[in-house]
Amino acid sequence: MAVPFLSLPGLPARLAAFYFFFFAYTAAYVAYFPLYLAWRGLDASQIALVLALPQLARIFAPAAWGWLADRMGARAPIVMLSCASMAICFASLPLVEARWIAPIIGITGVVSAGALPLVEATTLGMADGAARYGPIRLWGSVGFIAVVLGGGAWLDVFPVATLAAALVVFAVGSLLASMGLPRAPAALRAQAGKFRVSAAARAVLGSGFCMAAAHAALYAFLTLHLQRLGYSTSAIGALWTLGVVAEIAVFYYLPALLRRFALSAILVMSCLCALVRFLAIGWAAETLILLLAAQLLHAATFGSFHAGSIAAIHRVFAEAHQGRGQALFSSMSYGAGGAVGALLAGAAWEWGGAEAAFTAAGLFGLLGAYFARSLRRTGL
């Protein structure tokens, strides 16, 4: 079997490298940055605040960067600025007092929020971009797994203080890979002001909001839920890794999936899989075979849904508005949807425990299927 990254020339190879380094950075930040903050002396509430700031920025900042990118035809400079801000942020943290960490992270969250949606727009804007997206994007998942698995071993040997340097390395890798992204033609920049959100676009945005809200319970409470059921830390790590491996498989075979099924069908089935997955996690996670099946469904609830939704966004927004369209999807789904879902998951957990939290997540998946089903009328 061919290794897709090694066979991608020019722009596709740079995009694959960007995804690898960007999601390596994301993995180090999500999995291990709280340890660094605790080492710097922050308490639980301060750590929660620092981690919440970039999520809050994702509600509004991506859309602003997308508007600027389409208006100025400046995707590459904005992505490079985003990656440079990440590198500067973590290079500066060892040099400042702990009280400055939250402001630095907050500012960086705003500046860096445009990078990923603009790279998504660039990837899909290539010739046959929807079909080529999966084999390029899977390198982000590879980078994520490599750091999640390797980071623990690294921190067993080296002090947690070295995490800041690792984050700088990953951010610089993203910066170097983003150099030379194509500039939008002047004719498209002239059309950037004529922006509207169609009914089809609203359906994709609504479905994305619901699926991000559904996954908030997973990211916030899966580990805690499994610990309470008696699973070991190593088993929980393996279960998380299984989900990302399933995601990689979907990205690899995405071209065949897109040839065989309509985007609306992919989104509807992905959302219905979310209903099944989260109900299984909430009510039957003590049964290992059902838990394994639920984690394999990450291939659908994240992998095929994410790929299908950004391909749909590419279809429902004009060529001159691709940056803004992808950024709006990021704001509505991973920003607003993730924030609302986290708050509701927390309230549901307090009220009825894991069963309530993951049932609510499943119902969000069902609501996402309702929005996605309306896309059938648009021919997607």
Side-chain angles (χ1 to χ4, degrees):
M1 182 178 294
V3 179
F5 181 40
L6 300 180
S7 62
L8 294 174
L11 177 60
R14 293 201 302 276
L15 292 168
F18 173 87
Y19 283 120
F20 179 89
F21 284 111
F22 187 88
F23 282 98
Y25 166 93
T26 301
Y29 183 88
V30 170
Y32 303 115
F33 190 53
L35 300 177
Y36 178 85
L37 295 176
W39 174 76
R40 290 296 303 269
L42 276 65
D43 61 28
S45 62
Q46 292 170 326
I47 292 173
L49 171 63
V50 170
L51 297 179
L53 290 174
Q55 293 300 109
L56 293 173
R58 292 182 75 177
I59 297 175
F60 63 89
W65 286 118
W67 174 85
L68 184 62
D70 286 343
R71 194 75 178 179
M72 305 296 293
R75 287 181 192 169
I78 291 174
V79 175
M80 292 169 62
L81 173 65
S82 297
C83 297
S85 73
M86 289 152 46
I88 293 169
C89 165
F90 290 99
S92 67
L93 289 190
L95 308 177
V96 302
E97 297 178 8
R99 62 193 176 96
W100 291 106
I101 292 177
I104 291 172
I105 293 293
I107 294 170
T108 303
V110 173
V111 177
S112 65
L116 185 58
L118 294 180
V119 171
E120 300 274 48
T122 300
T123 305
L124 288 164
M126 296 186 305
D128 200 21
R132 302 181 74 181
Y133 175 82
I136 294 174
R137 172 59 178 78
L138 69 82
W139 286 97
S141 302
V142 172
F144 191 95
I145 286 181
V147 171
V148 167
L149 294 179
W154 174 273
L155 293 176
D156 285 340
V157 178
F158 299 99
V160 72
T162 60
L163 181 64
L167 285 161
V168 172
V169 169
F170 297 142
V172 170
S174 300
L175 172 62
L176 294 175
S178 67
M179 291 180 176
L181 294 182
R183 183 179 178 87
L188 292 182
R189 298 200 297 275
Q191 301 171 25
K194 305 171 184 178
F195 183 76
R196 77 182 186 93
V197 181
S198 65
R202 290 194 294 273
V204 182
L205 294 172
S207 186
F209 176 94
C210 291
M211 283 291 270
H215 282 74
L218 182 82
Y219 300 136
F221 294 120
L222 178 62
T223 297
L224 178 60
H225 178 40
L226 297 183
Q227 284 178 335
R228 290 185 174 183
L229 290 175
Y231 287 90
S232 67
T233 303
S234 59
I236 294 170
L239 287 162
W240 276 108
T241 302
L242 178 64
V244 183
V245 170
E247 165 192 319
I248 291 173
V250 164
F251 285 142
Y252 187 84
Y253 290 105
L254 185 63
L257 191 67
L258 292 175
R259 286 194 299 268
R260 186 169 182 178
F261 299 103
L263 288 175
S264 57
I266 292 173
L267 296 183
V268 169
M269 288 306 300
S270 298
C271 291
L272 293 178
C273 285
L275 172 64
V276 173
R277 181 189 187 191
F278 296 129
L279 289 178
I281 290 174
W283 295 89
E286 66 275 6
T287 304
L288 181 59
I289 188 67
L290 294 179
L291 182 58
L292 291 171
Q295 283 302 91
L296 286 173
L297 284 178
H298 192 71
T301 68
F302 177 78
S304 61
F305 181 83
H306 175 76
S309 58
I310 67 164
I313 288 291
H314 185 73
R315 295 267 292 274
V316 300
F317 282 99
E319 187 178 0
H321 302 143
Q322 289 301 308
R324 210 179 322 181
Q326 295 295 342
L328 182 59
F329 179 77
S330 178
S331 293
M332 283 296 297
S333 56
Y334 304 117
V340 170
L343 292 173
L344 293 179
W349 182 277
E350 290 292 331
W351 174 72
E355 293 86 354
F358 284 102
T359 297
L363 293 176
F364 267 120
L366 184 61
L367 183 58
Y370 168 79
F371 283 110
R373 187 174 182 274
S374 65
L375 287 172
R376 295 174 61 184
R377 296 192 297 269
T378 70
L380 288 181

